[in-house]
Amino acid sequence: MEFAFKHPEKLCGLVLSGCSTNPRGAITIPPRIGAFFTRILSERMLSSLNRIIFRRIFAPEIADPIIADGFYFRAVPQIVSEIAGRNFSKMVSGIAVPILFLNGEKDIIFRQDELVFLASAHNAKLEIIPGANHLCSLQKPAVFNLAIENFAAALEW
């Protein structure tokens, strides 16, 4: 999003997935709690927890390669502090290229302001992936990929 805002001449379109919220107020509490736990829990413990979650949510063909590559938690506190309180919908209003907002239906937190984002953008479309949450690209990869392919085709890319 920030790259598109700063370098619109380098893009013909933009897909934004799972990032249609302005992180402010109570919505920042869960990420701040997560950042707190990344500071106090060991990397090993956090990785074990993520392995359990990924194996519960995803099929082995999706979960296993992600788990094998490992997880990186040290950046979480800085990321949370960088995004908290920022007005990303205002940033979207400065992006001239067509935008596809692609969100999972059950991603309640990260699609909280999607209609604000849609209204802020100059040329945007919103697609919701039924039954998917924040990691919709992993939960419904065929639907996710088709949405991007259709968007790219509409751009004649």
Side-chain angles (χ1 to χ4, degrees), residues 120-155:
S120 297
H122 296 289
N123 180 7
K125 177 182 174 185
L126 170 65
E127 283 197 40
I128 305 298
I129 299 179
N133 64 31
H134 185 59
L135 299 175
C136 58
S137 62
L138 298 175
Q139 287 180 301
K140 307 273 183 157
V143 177
F144 186 88
N145 291 342
L146 182 61
I148 293 174
E149 289 171 7
N150 290 340
F151 179 67
L155 296 174

Side-chain angles (χ1 to χ4, degrees), residues 5 31 53 69 113:
F5 180 73
I53 292 169
D69 284 343
D113 297 317

Side-chain angles (χ1 to χ4, degrees), residues 2 13 20 48 50 53 59 63 78 85 90 94 109 115 118 121 132 138 145:
E2 193 158 334
S20 304
S48 294
N50 263 12
I53 292 169
Q78 183 179 350
K90 185 175 180 180
I109 293 175
L115 297 180
L118 190 61
L138 298 175
N145 291 342

Side-chain angles (χ1 to χ4, degrees), residues 15-34:
V15 177
L16 296 172
S17 181
C19 58
S20 304
T21 192
N22 286 313
R24 65 196 179 285
I27 198 169
T28 65
I29 293 171
R32 287 181 192 275
I33 291 170

Side-chain angles (χ1 to χ4, degrees), residues 49-95:
L49 181 60
N50 263 12
R51 281 193 295 277
I52 291 166
I53 292 169
F54 271 72
R55 286 198 172 111
R56 255 188 145 173
I57 295 174
F58 303 112
E61 61 270 13
I62 293 172
D64 290 345
I66 294 169
I67 291 168
D69 284 343
F71 302 100
Y72 183 74
F73 301 100
R74 283 185 238 139
V76 173
Q78 183 179 350
I79 291 167
V80 170
S81 68
E82 286 285 327
I83 67 169
R86 289 189 64 188
N87 187 339
F88 289 101
S89 59
K90 185 175 180 180
M91 185 181 294
V92 164
S93 71
I95 298 172

